[in-house]
mmCIF file of all heavy atoms in Angstrom:
data_model
loop_
_atom_site.group_PDB
_atom_site.id
_atom_site.type_symbol
_atom_site.label_atom_id
_atom_site.label_comp_id
_atom_site.label_asym_id
_atom_site.label_seq_id
_atom_site.Cartn_x
_atom_site.Cartn_y
_atom_site.Cartn_z
ATOM 1 N N SER A 262 -51.932 77.040 13.292
ATOM 2 C CA SER A 262 -51.295 76.660 12.026
ATOM 3 C C SER A 262 -52.056 77.230 10.834
ATOM 4 O O SER A 262 -51.490 77.388 9.754
ATOM 5 C CB SER A 262 -51.173 75.145 11.902
ATOM 6 O OG SER A 262 -52.433 74.528 11.731
ATOM 7 N N ASP A 263 -53.334 77.584 11.031
ATOM 8 C CA ASP A 263 -54.103 78.206 9.948
ATOM 9 C C ASP A 263 -53.566 79.599 9.602
ATOM 10 O O ASP A 263 -53.813 80.103 8.516
ATOM 11 C CB ASP A 263 -55.593 78.262 10.271
ATOM 12 C CG ASP A 263 -55.916 78.950 11.582
ATOM 13 O OD1 ASP A 263 -55.116 78.840 12.535
ATOM 14 O OD2 ASP A 263 -56.975 79.594 11.663
ATOM 15 N N TYR A 264 -52.802 80.203 10.498
ATOM 16 C CA TYR A 264 -52.176 81.492 10.202
ATOM 17 C C TYR A 264 -51.008 81.327 9.222
ATOM 18 O O TYR A 264 -50.563 82.301 8.623
ATOM 19 C CB TYR A 264 -51.680 82.175 11.471
ATOM 20 C CG TYR A 264 -52.750 82.875 12.281
ATOM 21 C CD1 TYR A 264 -54.104 82.632 12.086
ATOM 22 C CD2 TYR A 264 -52.400 83.779 13.256
ATOM 23 C CE1 TYR A 264 -55.065 83.276 12.848
ATOM 24 C CE2 TYR A 264 -53.358 84.430 14.025
ATOM 25 C CZ TYR A 264 -54.687 84.183 13.809
ATOM 26 O OH TYR A 264 -55.631 84.830 14.565
ATOM 27 N N ILE A 265 -50.521 80.118 9.049
ATOM 28 C CA ILE A 265 -49.491 79.857 8.031
ATOM 29 C C ILE A 265 -50.167 79.663 6.677
ATOM 30 O O ILE A 265 -49.684 80.133 5.662
ATOM 31 C CB ILE A 265 -48.624 78.644 8.408
ATOM 32 C CG1 ILE A 265 -47.866 78.920 9.708
ATOM 33 C CG2 ILE A 265 -47.654 78.300 7.277
ATOM 34 C CD1 ILE A 265 -47.099 77.739 10.247
ATOM 35 N N GLY A 266 -51.283 78.951 6.682
ATOM 36 C CA GLY A 266 -52.058 78.734 5.460
ATOM 37 C C GLY A 266 -53.475 78.336 5.812
ATOM 38 O O GLY A 266 -53.677 77.415 6.602
ATOM 39 N N SER A 267 -54.451 79.026 5.232
ATOM 40 C CA SER A 267 -55.855 78.744 5.557
ATOM 41 C C SER A 267 -56.239 77.305 5.210
ATOM 42 O O SER A 267 -57.167 76.750 5.799
ATOM 43 C CB SER A 267 -56.772 79.726 4.833
ATOM 44 O OG SER A 267 -56.630 79.612 3.436
ATOM 45 N N GLU A 268 -55.504 76.671 4.294
ATOM 46 C CA GLU A 268 -55.777 75.287 3.915
ATOM 47 C C GLU A 268 -55.625 74.334 5.094
ATOM 48 O O GLU A 268 -56.191 73.245 5.101
ATOM 49 C CB GLU A 268 -54.830 74.834 2.790
ATOM 50 C CG GLU A 268 -54.846 75.716 1.567
ATOM 51 C CD GLU A 268 -53.827 76.852 1.648
ATOM 52 O OE1 GLU A 268 -53.302 77.154 2.741
ATOM 53 O OE2 GLU A 268 -53.550 77.456 0.619
ATOM 54 N N ASN A 269 -54.839 74.748 6.096
ATOM 55 C CA ASN A 269 -54.626 73.888 7.268
ATOM 56 C C ASN A 269 -55.907 73.660 8.060
ATOM 57 O O ASN A 269 -55.992 72.695 8.815
ATOM 58 C CB ASN A 269 -53.545 74.480 8.178
ATOM 59 C CG ASN A 269 -52.180 74.377 7.550
ATOM 60 O OD1 ASN A 269 -51.874 73.434 6.826
ATOM 61 N ND2 ASN A 269 -51.342 75.370 7.799
ATOM 62 N N LYS A 270 -56.898 74.513 7.871
ATOM 63 C CA LYS A 270 -58.172 74.333 8.572
ATOM 64 C C LYS A 270 -58.810 72.988 8.240
ATOM 65 O O LYS A 270 -59.526 72.419 9.054
ATOM 66 C CB LYS A 270 -59.157 75.443 8.219
ATOM 67 C CG LYS A 270 -58.863 76.745 8.876
ATOM 68 C CD LYS A 270 -59.956 77.727 8.528
ATOM 69 C CE LYS A 270 -59.926 78.875 9.493
ATOM 70 N NZ LYS A 270 -61.112 79.688 9.403
ATOM 71 N N ARG A 271 -58.565 72.481 7.047
ATOM 72 C CA ARG A 271 -59.163 71.216 6.614
ATOM 73 C C ARG A 271 -58.330 70.004 7.016
ATOM 74 O O ARG A 271 -58.777 68.867 6.880
ATOM 75 C CB ARG A 271 -59.358 71.228 5.101
ATOM 76 C CG ARG A 271 -60.395 72.253 4.648
ATOM 77 C CD ARG A 271 -60.693 72.145 3.172
ATOM 78 N NE ARG A 271 -59.539 72.383 2.315
ATOM 79 C CZ ARG A 271 -59.129 73.562 1.902
ATOM 80 N NH1 ARG A 271 -59.759 74.641 2.277
ATOM 81 N NH2 ARG A 271 -58.078 73.680 1.112
ATOM 82 N N ALA A 272 -57.114 70.221 7.488
ATOM 83 C CA ALA A 272 -56.217 69.108 7.818
ATOM 84 C C ALA A 272 -56.687 68.380 9.074
ATOM 85 O O ALA A 272 -57.027 69.004 10.074
ATOM 86 C CB ALA A 272 -54.791 69.620 8.009
ATOM 87 N N ARG A 273 -56.697 67.062 8.993
ATOM 88 C CA ARG A 273 -57.022 66.219 10.151
ATOM 89 C C ARG A 273 -55.843 65.328 10.528
ATOM 90 O O ARG A 273 -55.834 64.718 11.575
ATOM 91 C CB ARG A 273 -58.249 65.337 9.865
ATOM 92 C CG ARG A 273 -59.526 66.129 9.591
ATOM 93 C CD ARG A 273 -59.974 66.886 10.837
ATOM 94 N NE ARG A 273 -61.085 67.775 10.570
ATOM 95 C CZ ARG A 273 -60.985 69.079 10.410
ATOM 96 N NH1 ARG A 273 -59.812 69.676 10.448
ATOM 97 N NH2 ARG A 273 -62.035 69.823 10.196
ATOM 98 N N ARG A 274 -54.854 65.253 9.622
ATOM 99 C CA ARG A 274 -53.629 64.484 9.847
ATOM 100 C C ARG A 274 -52.435 65.350 9.465
ATOM 101 O O ARG A 274 -52.554 66.249 8.628
ATOM 102 C CB ARG A 274 -53.630 63.203 9.009
ATOM 103 C CG ARG A 274 -54.696 62.210 9.401
ATOM 104 C CD ARG A 274 -54.556 60.859 8.674
ATOM 105 N NE ARG A 274 -54.167 60.950 7.269
ATOM 106 C CZ ARG A 274 -55.020 61.080 6.253
ATOM 107 N NH1 ARG A 274 -56.310 61.156 6.469
ATOM 108 N NH2 ARG A 274 -54.571 61.148 5.023
ATOM 109 N N TYR A 275 -51.289 65.042 10.050
ATOM 110 C CA TYR A 275 -50.068 65.806 9.818
ATOM 111 C C TYR A 275 -49.756 65.933 8.328
ATOM 112 O O TYR A 275 -49.414 67.007 7.840
ATOM 113 C CB TYR A 275 -48.913 65.137 10.565
ATOM 114 C CG TYR A 275 -47.598 65.846 10.437
ATOM 115 C CD1 TYR A 275 -47.360 67.020 11.136
ATOM 116 C CD2 TYR A 275 -46.582 65.345 9.630
ATOM 117 C CE1 TYR A 275 -46.141 67.687 11.044
ATOM 118 C CE2 TYR A 275 -45.364 66.000 9.528
ATOM 119 C CZ TYR A 275 -45.149 67.168 10.230
ATOM 120 O OH TYR A 275 -43.957 67.820 10.125
ATOM 121 N N GLU A 276 -49.903 64.851 7.591
ATOM 122 C CA GLU A 276 -49.568 64.823 6.171
ATOM 123 C C GLU A 276 -50.451 65.745 5.345
ATOM 124 O O GLU A 276 -50.121 66.070 4.206
ATOM 125 C CB GLU A 276 -49.679 63.397 5.621
ATOM 126 C CG GLU A 276 -48.779 62.386 6.292
ATOM 127 C CD GLU A 276 -49.309 61.914 7.654
ATOM 128 O OE1 GLU A 276 -50.537 61.964 7.894
ATOM 129 O OE2 GLU A 276 -48.471 61.528 8.480
ATOM 130 N N GLN A 277 -51.592 66.163 5.890
ATOM 131 C CA GLN A 277 -52.516 67.040 5.166
ATOM 132 C C GLN A 277 -52.191 68.523 5.344
ATOM 133 O O GLN A 277 -52.799 69.364 4.687
ATOM 134 C CB GLN A 277 -53.955 66.765 5.618
ATOM 135 C CG GLN A 277 -54.437 65.378 5.257
ATOM 136 C CD GLN A 277 -55.795 65.062 5.850
ATOM 137 O OE1 GLN A 277 -56.137 65.522 6.936
ATOM 138 N NE2 GLN A 277 -56.574 64.265 5.136
ATOM 139 N N LEU A 278 -51.258 68.844 6.219
ATOM 140 C CA LEU A 278 -50.842 70.238 6.398
ATOM 141 C C LEU A 278 -50.104 70.719 5.151
ATOM 142 O O LEU A 278 -49.538 69.914 4.407
ATOM 143 C CB LEU A 278 -49.933 70.365 7.624
ATOM 144 C CG LEU A 278 -50.580 70.060 8.967
ATOM 145 C CD1 LEU A 278 -49.522 69.917 10.047
ATOM 146 C CD2 LEU A 278 -51.597 71.135 9.338
ATOM 147 N N THR A 279 -50.062 72.019 4.945
ATOM 148 C CA THR A 279 -49.351 72.560 3.787
ATOM 149 C C THR A 279 -47.853 72.292 3.928
ATOM 150 O O THR A 279 -47.341 72.164 5.041
ATOM 151 C CB THR A 279 -49.576 74.081 3.660
ATOM 152 O OG1 THR A 279 -48.993 74.723 4.795
ATOM 153 C CG2 THR A 279 -51.043 74.424 3.531
ATOM 154 N N PRO A 280 -47.145 72.213 2.807
ATOM 155 C CA PRO A 280 -45.691 72.012 2.869
ATOM 156 C C PRO A 280 -44.988 73.081 3.706
ATOM 157 O O PRO A 280 -44.048 72.785 4.437
ATOM 158 C CB PRO A 280 -45.250 72.067 1.402
ATOM 159 C CG PRO A 280 -46.465 71.665 0.628
ATOM 160 C CD PRO A 280 -47.637 72.188 1.424
ATOM 161 N N GLU A 281 -45.450 74.344 3.621
ATOM 162 C CA GLU A 281 -44.847 75.426 4.409
ATOM 163 C C GLU A 281 -45.024 75.169 5.910
ATOM 164 O O GLU A 281 -44.126 75.454 6.700
ATOM 165 C CB GLU A 281 -45.486 76.782 4.046
ATOM 166 C CG GLU A 281 -45.217 77.241 2.641
ATOM 167 C CD GLU A 281 -46.175 76.612 1.611
ATOM 168 O OE1 GLU A 281 -47.179 75.987 1.986
ATOM 169 O OE2 GLU A 281 -45.878 76.743 0.413
ATOM 170 N N THR A 282 -46.177 74.657 6.281
ATOM 171 C CA THR A 282 -46.447 74.370 7.683
ATOM 172 C C THR A 282 -45.581 73.229 8.177
ATOM 173 O O THR A 282 -45.016 73.295 9.269
ATOM 174 C CB THR A 282 -47.946 74.042 7.890
ATOM 175 O OG1 THR A 282 -48.721 75.119 7.364
ATOM 176 C CG2 THR A 282 -48.263 73.834 9.354
ATOM 177 N N ILE A 283 -45.456 72.196 7.384
ATOM 178 C CA ILE A 283 -44.608 71.057 7.770
ATOM 179 C C ILE A 283 -43.158 71.519 7.911
ATOM 180 O O ILE A 283 -42.475 71.139 8.867
ATOM 181 C CB ILE A 283 -44.755 69.902 6.752
ATOM 182 C CG1 ILE A 283 -46.168 69.288 6.901
ATOM 183 C CG2 ILE A 283 -43.670 68.855 6.951
ATOM 184 C CD1 ILE A 283 -46.527 68.257 5.868
ATOM 185 N N MET A 284 -42.688 72.378 7.007
ATOM 186 C CA MET A 284 -41.322 72.903 7.128
ATOM 187 C C MET A 284 -41.169 73.735 8.399
ATOM 188 O O MET A 284 -40.141 73.651 9.082
ATOM 189 C CB MET A 284 -40.953 73.742 5.899
ATOM 190 C CG MET A 284 -40.675 72.903 4.688
ATOM 191 S SD MET A 284 -40.261 73.779 3.137
ATOM 192 C CE MET A 284 -39.981 75.436 3.581
ATOM 193 N N PHE A 285 -42.176 74.540 8.734
ATOM 194 C CA PHE A 285 -42.148 75.340 9.952
ATOM 195 C C PHE A 285 -42.054 74.428 11.175
ATOM 196 O O PHE A 285 -41.245 74.649 12.073
ATOM 197 C CB PHE A 285 -43.403 76.226 10.019
ATOM 198 C CG PHE A 285 -43.439 77.134 11.206
ATOM 199 C CD1 PHE A 285 -42.816 78.370 11.177
ATOM 200 C CD2 PHE A 285 -44.103 76.760 12.367
ATOM 201 C CE1 PHE A 285 -42.847 79.219 12.277
ATOM 202 C CE2 PHE A 285 -44.149 77.603 13.473
ATOM 203 C CZ PHE A 285 -43.514 78.834 13.429
ATOM 204 N N ILE A 286 -42.867 73.389 11.219
ATOM 205 C CA ILE A 286 -42.871 72.449 12.342
ATOM 206 C C ILE A 286 -41.522 71.749 12.454
ATOM 207 O O ILE A 286 -40.980 71.611 13.553
ATOM 208 C CB ILE A 286 -44.030 71.444 12.201
ATOM 209 C CG1 ILE A 286 -45.366 72.169 12.410
ATOM 210 C CG2 ILE A 286 -43.873 70.272 13.169
ATOM 211 C CD1 ILE A 286 -46.582 71.370 11.994
ATOM 212 N N GLU A 287 -40.976 71.313 11.342
ATOM 213 C CA GLU A 287 -39.662 70.653 11.359
ATOM 214 C C GLU A 287 -38.585 71.593 11.886
ATOM 215 O O GLU A 287 -37.682 71.171 12.610
ATOM 216 C CB GLU A 287 -39.307 70.148 9.963
ATOM 217 C CG GLU A 287 -40.142 68.945 9.561
ATOM 218 C CD GLU A 287 -39.936 68.528 8.106
ATOM 219 O OE1 GLU A 287 -39.249 69.252 7.334
ATOM 220 O OE2 GLU A 287 -40.472 67.466 7.730
ATOM 221 N N GLU A 288 -38.677 72.876 11.549
ATOM 222 C CA GLU A 288 -37.700 73.853 12.046
ATOM 223 C C GLU A 288 -37.881 74.085 13.548
ATOM 224 O O GLU A 288 -36.897 74.201 14.284
ATOM 225 C CB GLU A 288 -37.807 75.167 11.279
ATOM 226 C CG GLU A 288 -36.742 76.176 11.616
ATOM 227 C CD GLU A 288 -35.340 75.770 11.202
ATOM 228 O OE1 GLU A 288 -35.152 74.728 10.532
ATOM 229 O OE2 GLU A 288 -34.393 76.494 11.570
ATOM 230 N N VAL A 289 -39.121 74.145 14.025
ATOM 231 C CA VAL A 289 -39.380 74.259 15.465
ATOM 232 C C VAL A 289 -38.735 73.078 16.189
ATOM 233 O O VAL A 289 -38.058 73.250 17.212
ATOM 234 C CB VAL A 289 -40.899 74.334 15.773
ATOM 235 C CG1 VAL A 289 -41.168 74.145 17.260
ATOM 236 C CG2 VAL A 289 -41.475 75.658 15.291
ATOM 237 N N GLU A 290 -38.906 71.883 15.657
ATOM 238 C CA GLU A 290 -38.328 70.686 16.274
ATOM 239 C C GLU A 290 -36.803 70.719 16.234
ATOM 240 O O GLU A 290 -36.145 70.331 17.200
ATOM 241 C CB GLU A 290 -38.868 69.430 15.584
ATOM 242 C CG GLU A 290 -40.343 69.219 15.838
ATOM 243 C CD GLU A 290 -40.947 68.045 15.100
ATOM 244 O OE1 GLU A 290 -40.430 67.670 14.011
ATOM 245 O OE2 GLU A 290 -41.949 67.498 15.588
ATOM 246 N N ARG A 291 -36.235 71.200 15.134
ATOM 247 C CA ARG A 291 -34.780 71.271 15.021
ATOM 248 C C ARG A 291 -34.207 72.282 16.007
ATOM 249 O O ARG A 291 -33.227 72.018 16.697
ATOM 250 C CB ARG A 291 -34.368 71.646 13.590
ATOM 251 C CG ARG A 291 -32.854 71.561 13.362
ATOM 252 C CD ARG A 291 -32.454 72.180 12.047
ATOM 253 N NE ARG A 291 -32.620 73.628 12.008
ATOM 254 C CZ ARG A 291 -31.855 74.509 12.671
ATOM 255 N NH1 ARG A 291 -30.873 74.091 13.438
ATOM 256 N NH2 ARG A 291 -32.072 75.807 12.561
ATOM 257 N N VAL A 292 -34.831 73.453 16.102
ATOM 258 C CA VAL A 292 -34.335 74.523 16.972
ATOM 259 C C VAL A 292 -34.439 74.139 18.444
ATOM 260 O O VAL A 292 -33.552 74.444 19.235
ATOM 261 C CB VAL A 292 -35.098 75.843 16.694
ATOM 262 C CG1 VAL A 292 -34.870 76.876 17.778
ATOM 263 C CG2 VAL A 292 -34.687 76.401 15.337
ATOM 264 N N THR A 293 -35.505 73.453 18.820
ATOM 265 C CA THR A 293 -35.738 73.127 20.227
ATOM 266 C C THR A 293 -35.245 71.746 20.626
ATOM 267 O O THR A 293 -35.009 71.495 21.805
ATOM 268 C CB THR A 293 -37.243 73.192 20.561
ATOM 269 O OG1 THR A 293 -37.940 72.207 19.786
ATOM 270 C CG2 THR A 293 -37.796 74.576 20.319
ATOM 271 N N GLY A 294 -35.137 70.846 19.665
ATOM 272 C CA GLY A 294 -34.821 69.455 19.989
ATOM 273 C C GLY A 294 -36.004 68.736 20.623
ATOM 274 O O GLY A 294 -35.843 67.709 21.270
ATOM 275 N N VAL A 295 -37.202 69.296 20.438
ATOM 276 C CA VAL A 295 -38.413 68.772 21.062
ATOM 277 C C VAL A 295 -39.457 68.533 19.978
ATOM 278 O O VAL A 295 -39.588 69.335 19.046
ATOM 279 C CB VAL A 295 -38.956 69.775 22.110
ATOM 280 C CG1 VAL A 295 -40.246 69.286 22.724
ATOM 281 C CG2 VAL A 295 -37.918 70.023 23.188
ATOM 282 N N ARG A 296 -40.203 67.451 20.104
ATOM 283 C CA ARG A 296 -41.231 67.110 19.121
ATOM 284 C C ARG A 296 -42.465 68.014 19.263
ATOM 285 O O ARG A 296 -42.915 68.291 20.367
ATOM 286 C CB ARG A 296 -41.653 65.659 19.295
ATOM 287 C CG ARG A 296 -42.682 65.175 18.296
ATOM 288 C CD ARG A 296 -42.898 63.682 18.473
ATOM 289 N NE ARG A 296 -43.998 63.179 17.701
ATOM 290 C CZ ARG A 296 -43.924 62.773 16.434
ATOM 291 N NH1 ARG A 296 -42.767 62.842 15.811
ATOM 292 N NH2 ARG A 296 -44.978 62.310 15.810
ATOM 293 N N VAL A 297 -42.989 68.447 18.112
ATOM 294 C CA VAL A 297 -44.272 69.149 18.084
ATOM 295 C C VAL A 297 -45.336 68.052 18.063
ATOM 296 O O VAL A 297 -45.516 67.367 17.062
ATOM 297 C CB VAL A 297 -44.397 70.084 16.864
ATOM 298 C CG1 VAL A 297 -45.786 70.696 16.796
ATOM 299 C CG2 VAL A 297 -43.340 71.172 16.918
ATOM 300 N N SER A 298 -46.009 67.876 19.190
ATOM 301 C CA SER A 298 -46.942 66.768 19.360
ATOM 302 C C SER A 298 -48.382 67.122 19.034
ATOM 303 O O SER A 298 -49.151 66.271 18.596
ATOM 304 C CB SER A 298 -46.888 66.253 20.801
ATOM 305 O OG SER A 298 -45.598 65.823 21.115
ATOM 306 N N LEU A 299 -48.760 68.365 19.296
ATOM 307 C CA LEU A 299 -50.132 68.808 19.059
ATOM 308 C C LEU A 299 -50.117 70.036 18.158
ATOM 309 O O LEU A 299 -49.305 70.944 18.362
ATOM 310 C CB LEU A 299 -50.822 69.159 20.383
ATOM 311 C CG LEU A 299 -50.944 68.020 21.396
ATOM 312 C CD1 LEU A 299 -51.405 68.568 22.744
ATOM 313 C CD2 LEU A 299 -51.896 66.953 20.895
ATOM 314 N N ILE A 300 -51.007 70.050 17.174
ATOM 315 C CA ILE A 300 -51.060 71.157 16.218
ATOM 316 C C ILE A 300 -52.525 71.571 16.065
ATOM 317 O O ILE A 300 -53.355 70.756 15.647
ATOM 318 C CB ILE A 300 -50.502 70.737 14.843
ATOM 319 C CG1 ILE A 300 -49.085 70.181 14.997
ATOM 320 C CG2 ILE A 300 -50.560 71.898 13.854
ATOM 321 C CD1 ILE A 300 -48.683 69.211 13.911
ATOM 322 N N SER A 301 -52.821 72.822 16.409
ATOM 323 C CA SER A 301 -54.193 73.297 16.201
ATOM 324 C C SER A 301 -54.308 73.815 14.774
ATOM 325 O O SER A 301 -53.436 74.518 14.282
ATOM 326 C CB SER A 301 -54.583 74.369 17.215
ATOM 327 O OG SER A 301 -53.999 75.598 16.898
ATOM 328 N N THR A 302 -55.410 73.439 14.130
ATOM 329 C CA THR A 302 -55.613 73.817 12.731
ATOM 330 C C THR A 302 -56.603 74.958 12.565
ATOM 331 O O THR A 302 -56.729 75.500 11.478
ATOM 332 C CB THR A 302 -56.081 72.606 11.909
ATOM 333 O OG1 THR A 302 -57.278 72.081 12.488
ATOM 334 C CG2 THR A 302 -55.000 71.536 11.876
ATOM 335 N N GLN A 303 -57.327 75.277 13.623
ATOM 336 C CA GLN A 303 -58.163 76.477 13.657
ATOM 337 C C GLN A 303 -58.624 76.713 15.080
ATOM 338 O O GLN A 303 -58.439 75.879 15.949
ATOM 339 C CB GLN A 303 -59.337 76.400 12.680
ATOM 340 C CG GLN A 303 -60.296 75.260 12.867
ATOM 341 C CD GLN A 303 -61.412 75.311 11.839
ATOM 342 O OE1 GLN A 303 -62.079 76.324 11.690
ATOM 343 N NE2 GLN A 303 -61.588 74.233 11.109
ATOM 344 N N PHE A 304 -59.226 77.858 15.305
ATOM 345 C CA PHE A 304 -59.596 78.289 16.651
ATOM 346 C C PHE A 304 -60.862 77.555 17.092
ATOM 347 O O PHE A 304 -61.961 78.101 17.097
ATOM 348 C CB PHE A 304 -59.790 79.802 16.674
ATOM 349 C CG PHE A 304 -59.813 80.392 18.054
ATOM 350 C CD1 PHE A 304 -58.727 80.274 18.889
ATOM 351 C CD2 PHE A 304 -60.922 81.070 18.511
ATOM 352 C CE1 PHE A 304 -58.738 80.825 20.159
ATOM 353 C CE2 PHE A 304 -60.952 81.634 19.777
ATOM 354 C CZ PHE A 304 -59.858 81.501 20.599
ATOM 355 N N ASP A 305 -60.687 76.269 17.451
ATOM 356 C CA ASP A 305 -61.798 75.421 17.863
ATOM 357 C C ASP A 305 -61.218 74.224 18.621
ATOM 358 O O ASP A 305 -60.175 73.709 18.254
ATOM 359 C CB ASP A 305 -62.570 74.944 16.627
ATOM 360 C CG ASP A 305 -63.804 74.161 16.982
ATOM 361 O OD1 ASP A 305 -63.683 72.956 17.273
ATOM 362 O OD2 ASP A 305 -64.907 74.744 16.980
#
């Protein structure tokens, strides 16, 4: 998710992700009908 916005590296909760990232996740869920349950915020 840090590839969408470097600010996501600091996120520890869903609400702290950038608005663009949250919109991307919502679209993934809409397209698949499946919940995005885990989100990596950086390569760690």
Side-chain angles (χ1 to χ4, degrees):
S262 69
D263 55 326
Y264 281 16
I265 297 174
S267 61
E268 305 90 345
N269 289 327
K270 285 184 162 193
R271 293 187 299 274
R273 298 294 173 258
R274 294 188 321 272
Y275 181 75
E276 300 78 25
Q277 295 173 327
L278 295 167
T279 65
E281 294 83 11
T282 305
I283 290 173
M284 285 179 11
F285 183 85
I286 291 167
E287 288 173 352
E288 186 67 6
V289 168
E290 292 176 333
R291 187 191 68 71
V292 166
T293 63
V295 177
R296 182 174 171 87
V297 175
S298 301
L299 299 169
I300 305 154
S301 76
T302 57
Q303 59 180 307
F304 195 61
D305 185 279

